[in-house]
Amino acid sequence: MKIIISNASSDPIYMQIINQIRQCILSGELKAGEILPSIRQLAKDLQVSVITTKRVYEELEKEKLIDSVVGKGCFVSGANKDFIREQRMKLLEEKMIEIIRESKELSMNQQDLIDHITLFFEEEQNT
């Protein structure tokens, strides 16, 4: 898991970290049961306050994306697969809307877009 903090971003640092960890979980990069760095280690790695990383983990726990086990650490939650799937579907839908808007700017019609998606889908299956 690689987290990049941008000082140019309008989002606060803790939100940048939350968004990136959330994305890693929802994309499947971080698997259910996988241990996360300790609050102190994450703070050290990212050169941020321990208070910031504590807030990050608290927010992710509220979203039920991670579980905290006293004395053991924080782990990617495996309890709510339907919720994670729903969140991943939401991200996919947002990407599709972006693709549709971009295709309209390129004066592509619906069938052109479907043809392109079909082509890429078939190419991806063959790899």
Side-chain angles (χ1 to χ4, degrees):
M1 170 178 74
K2 184 172 184 169
I3 297 174
I4 299 168
I5 296 172
S6 170
N7 292 325
S9 174
S10 60
D11 290 335
I13 291 173
Y14 83 95
M15 278 306 298
Q16 292 180 51
I17 299 168
I18 288 172
N19 290 337
Q20 291 178 62
I21 294 175
R22 182 187 299 121
Q23 181 61 34
C24 288
I25 293 170
L26 297 179
S27 71
E29 180 182 335
L30 290 173
K31 308 280 187 231
E34 195 168 332
I35 191 164
L36 297 170
S38 71
I39 290 171
R40 292 185 196 288
Q41 186 61 51
L42 185 61
K44 181 180 174 188
D45 292 347
L46 299 177
Q47 299 179 344
V48 297
S49 163
V50 171
I51 295 168
T52 299
T53 54
K54 185 175 188 310
R55 183 173 183 185
V56 166
Y57 282 5
E58 286 172 351
E59 291 294 323
L60 291 169
E61 193 167 13
K62 283 181 194 172
E63 292 181 24
K64 302 199 184 302
L65 291 173
I66 67 169
D67 296 315
S68 180
V69 179
V70 177
K72 301 234 181 206
C74 292
F75 300 84
V76 176
S77 177
N80 201 343
K81 292 180 182 173
D82 289 336
F83 173 76
I84 290 174
R85 185 180 192 290
E86 185 65 32
Q87 292 298 313
R88 289 183 71 188
M89 285 296 295
K90 183 179 174 189
L91 289 173
L92 179 62
E93 290 167 2
E94 290 170 2
K95 290 176 182 178
M96 287 193 290
I97 289 169
E98 186 179 327
I99 289 169
I100 290 168
R101 288 180 180 149
E102 186 72 23
S103 68
K104 285 180 179 179
E105 288 182 17
L106 294 169
S107 301
M108 293 174 69
N109 62 34
Q110 183 178 358
Q111 191 57 50
D112 290 339
L113 182 57
I114 291 169
D115 291 344
H116 272 78
I117 290 172
T118 302
L119 177 68
F120 285 114
F121 191 84
E122 290 169 356
E123 284 179 4
E124 188 63 28
Q125 283 195 339
N126 292 330
T127 57

